[in-house]
Amino acid sequence: MEVSFHEMELLSRSLSNAHRSAVQAELNAAGLEKVGHPMLVSILQSADEDPEGQFQAQRELADLLHVSPPAIANSLKCLERDGYVRREPWPRDARRNRVILTEKGTEAVEGCRAVFLRVSARMMDGFTPEELALLAQFQRRMLDNLTRPDSHEKE
């Protein structure tokens, strides 16, 4: 059976939407609906564990998540208001703020990670290890195709 690019695009969007909905439903069920962007909280924890704090600045978080700095600023404002993060001056540059997880934020990260694992396990249910390896290979290739410089551009 031949599959068109259009069908592949629809499947990709449907999978993305279904995954997002499943994650949100699990977050709601776990009482984590107020966390906002769970990936942002997880990245903040990773940065918190990094002595250099590589991804704690707003610009770096925006770049990492592929969203605008104002979107990150808005998310951080909500996370700070709800007690998940706090801001303090950057040690080497007082004009910048570091974003640090609070204890409540750390607990939320652990809850978010558990949600992601449950959703991933549900999504991959019934796949053999070989099928998962092949799927990962295909997804890496698709990601490479989308992120490498376009080889079809005229020089």
Side-chain angles (χ1 to χ4, degrees), residues 2-37:
E2 191 171 317
V3 179
S4 70
F5 286 139
H6 178 69
E7 184 179 359
M8 290 301 297
E9 177 65 23
L10 290 174
L11 283 170
S12 179
R13 287 180 191 218
S14 295
L15 178 59
S16 178
N17 290 337
H19 183 267
R20 189 177 307 110
S21 293
V23 166
Q24 192 59 56
E26 287 277 341
L27 288 171
N28 293 348
L32 294 169
E33 64 276 355
K34 293 186 86 179
V35 172
H37 197 302

Side-chain angles (χ1 to χ4, degrees), residues 23-82:
V23 166
Q24 192 59 56
E26 287 277 341
L27 288 171
N28 293 348
L32 294 169
E33 64 276 355
K34 293 186 86 179
V35 172
H37 197 302
M39 193 58 65
L40 174 62
V41 177
S42 294
I43 290 168
L44 285 168
Q45 185 188 39
S46 298
D48 204 33
E49 295 167 356
D50 176 9
E52 294 296 314
Q54 293 293 323
F55 300 112
Q56 291 175 322
Q58 183 174 311
R59 166 63 68 186
E60 287 84 1
L61 288 169
D63 290 346
L64 193 62
L65 292 171
H66 305 288
V67 297
S68 69
I72 290 294
N74 191 43
S75 292
L76 289 174
K77 188 184 301 181
C78 293
L79 290 170
E80 187 173 28
R81 179 196 66 219
D82 293 336

